[in-house]
Amino acid sequence: MTTPPTPTPTHRARGDSRNALLTAARELIVGRSYSAVGIAEICAHAGVRKGSLYHFFPGKEALTLAMLDALYADFEREVLIPGLAGANGLHARIEAFVHAIHAFEARMQAESGQLPGCPFGNLAVEMGTHNPPLRRAIRGHLDAVTAHFRSVLDEAVQDGELPGYTNTEALAEQWLALMEGILVMAKADQDPATVLRLGPALVTLLTHSPPEVPHAR
C-alpha cells in the first residue's frame, strides 16, 4: 500500500505571507506614518519578496485598507465588545471601556515601543485631504465605532438611565470626539495612564449631558 503524498504547503505559505504583510504594514505605518513607509520596506519587514505583495494587493493603498480592516477587527474584539457589553449600567460600561482602551494602548506600546494613539485618527489627519479611498475607509471604521457607542446609549435610554428624548446619535458622536481627544493626549504623553486620568471626562459627558442634545448635522 503506497503512502499518499504529503500535501503541499502552498496555501498555508501564501496565507502566512499575506498575514506577514498585514502585520508589517500595521507595525510600520501605525508606528510611523503612511507616507514615511515604502513598499520595499514593508516587504523587507515582512520577510517576503516584493512580488508577493502584488500577488495579494494592487499596491500600498490596498494593503493599508486591508490592514485597517484587520486593525478594526482587533479593536472591536479587544475593546468594543468586552468593554461595552461586559458591564451592567451606563456608568459601569463607560469605566470598562476606558480600562479596555488603556489595556489596548498599553499592549501596543509594549509590542512596538510606542503608544500610537488612535491609528484611524492618525491616518485621517495625515491622508484625509488627499487620499479619498483611505479617508472613506477610515470614516467607515469610525462610524462603526460610533454605532457601538450609540447601541449602548440606546440601551441606557430604554433602561431609564438617560432621558427618553436623548439624541443618542449626536451623543455617540460626542463620545467618539472626546475619545479621539483623549487618545491624542495619551500619544503626546506617550503614557497609557493618560487614558485613565482623562477617562472620567467620558462619564461626565455621557451621564450629565444637558437636557437638549443638539441634533447631528
Side-chain angles (χ1 to χ4, degrees):
M1 181 175 179
T2 59
T3 303
T6 303
T8 61
T10 303
H11 294 296
R12 181 175 180 274
R14 287 180 178 176
D16 287 348
S17 295
R18 186 179 190 277
N19 290 334
L21 287 165
L22 290 171
T23 300
R26 176 169 172 170
E27 291 174 354
L28 294 174
I29 293 173
V30 172
R32 286 155 57 190
S33 71
Y34 182 87
S35 301
V37 178
I39 289 176
E41 185 177 6
I42 292 172
C43 292
H45 195 76
V48 302
R49 295 178 179 177
K50 192 173 180 179
S52 294
L53 186 147
Y54 293 108
H55 176 78
F56 298 108
F57 308 101
K60 187 174 77 166
E61 180 185 279
L63 170 62
T64 302
L65 291 171
M67 179 272 289
L68 289 174
D69 289 342
L71 182 60
Y72 175 78
D74 286 348
F75 185 74
E76 186 176 54
R77 183 180 63 255
E78 296 180 30
V79 176
L80 294 173
I81 293 175
L84 297 175
N88 293 320
L90 180 59
H91 195 143
R93 286 185 174 184
I94 298 167
E95 290 187 342
F97 170 75
V98 168
H99 282 277
I101 283 275
H102 169 264
F104 187 80
E105 292 288 316
R107 179 179 67 77
M108 294 187 74
Q109 184 182 46
E111 292 175 355
S112 67
Q114 302 178 67
L115 190 150
C118 176
F120 302 108
N122 295 343
L123 270 176
V125 170
E126 181 190 3
M127 304 300 296
T129 57
H130 56 277
N131 190 307
L134 281 178
R135 182 189 62 78
R136 287 192 295 268
I138 292 163
R139 179 72 259 182
H141 291 309
L142 293 177
D143 287 345
V145 174
T146 307
H148 278 276
F149 295 164
R150 186 177 184 183
S151 178
V152 170
L153 296 171
D154 286 339
E155 188 170 333
V157 170
Q158 293 171 7
D159 292 342
E161 295 182 273
L162 291 175
Y165 47 78
T166 299
N167 184 341
T168 57
E169 180 182 2
L171 195 55
E173 282 195 319
Q174 292 174 18
W175 184 344
L176 176 70
L178 182 51
M179 181 196 79
E180 289 293 322
I182 290 171
L183 290 176
V184 167
M185 295 295 291
K187 182 177 181 178
D189 293 341
Q190 282 298 293
D191 187 356
T194 300
V195 175
L196 300 179
R197 178 168 57 85
L198 299 180
L202 285 170
V203 177
T204 301
L205 170 69
L206 300 171
T207 63
H208 299 88
S209 56
E212 292 293 334
V213 181
H215 288 278
R217 293 182 181 274

